[in-house]
Every structure is written in structure tokens, then in C-alpha cells.
């Protein structure tokens, strides 16, 4: 049951890509946030409501997929 719920939020596990309408237009912070991936710790992104946090996460996921990171290794929990 938990895996099915997670799979609903992590559609790229099946499709191997992120839907275009979730990615939106590239945000300026994307490159800065990508630089933090040199560290292996879990990443959290905080901010005010409707500031683009989810869009940034979907852009990061799309970027990771384009770099041949396995889709099953990317987990988004909202």
C-alpha cells in the first residue's frame, strides 16, 4: 500500500520522465541547487507558499533523469 502511494507521486518510476506541465520554465535557482548534489545528505527545500518549490524539485528530477540517474533512485515525498 505504501509503495502504491509513493508510485502515484513518483510517476517517473514508470515513465522515466517528468511531465512537461510539471517542469514549467527553468528557474534561476536550479543551477545553485544542483551544486548541492555533491553532498549525499537528504535535501529539503523550504519557502513560502506558491514560490515554485515543487517546480524546482520537478526540474531537478528531470535533470537527474537526463544524467542517467535511475528513476527508482529518485523519491519525492510531498
Amino acid at each position: 500500500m505504501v509503495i502504491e502511494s509513493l508510485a502515484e507521486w513518483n510517476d517517473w518510476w514508470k515513465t522515466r520522465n517528468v511531465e512537461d506541465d510539471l517542469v514549467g520554465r527553468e528557474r534561476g535557482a536550479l543551477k545553485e541547487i544542483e551544486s548541492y548534489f555533491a553532498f549525499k545528505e537528504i535535501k529539503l527545500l523550504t519557502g513560502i507558499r506558491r514560490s515554485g518549490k515543487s517546480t524546482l524539485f520537478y526540474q531537478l528530477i528531470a535533470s537527474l533523469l537526463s544524467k542517467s540517474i535511475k528513476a527508482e533512485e529518485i523519491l519525492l515525498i510531498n
Side-chain angles (χ1 to χ4, degrees):
M1 182 139 129
V2 173
I3 295 296
E4 290 85 10
S5 295
L6 289 173
E8 288 179 27
W9 280 100
N10 296 272
D11 194 43
W12 48 90
W13 291 355
K14 291 177 270 181
T15 64
R16 305 291 188 243
N17 67 356
V18 180
E19 295 180 28
D20 289 338
D21 60 328
L22 294 175
V23 175
R25 62 179 175 80
E26 187 173 318
R27 304 289 198 260
L30 181 61
K31 296 297 178 200
E32 179 184 352
I33 292 171
E34 284 180 322
S35 71
Y36 297 126
F37 278 88
F39 307 101
K40 297 295 181 186
E41 292 82 13
I42 293 172
K43 312 313 184 267
L44 298 174
L45 181 62
T46 63
I48 63 171
R49 291 186 68 218
R50 303 194 50 81
S51 62
K53 299 178 298 292
S54 295
T55 299
L56 270 171
F57 266 118
Y58 288 121
Q59 290 174 3
L60 285 168
I61 292 165
S63 176
L64 291 170
L65 291 171
S66 73
K67 295 175 182 169
S68 300
I69 302 296
K70 293 178 184 177
E72 297 82 12
E73 294 178 357
I74 303 169
L75 173 65
L76 175 69
I77 300 174
N78 189 350

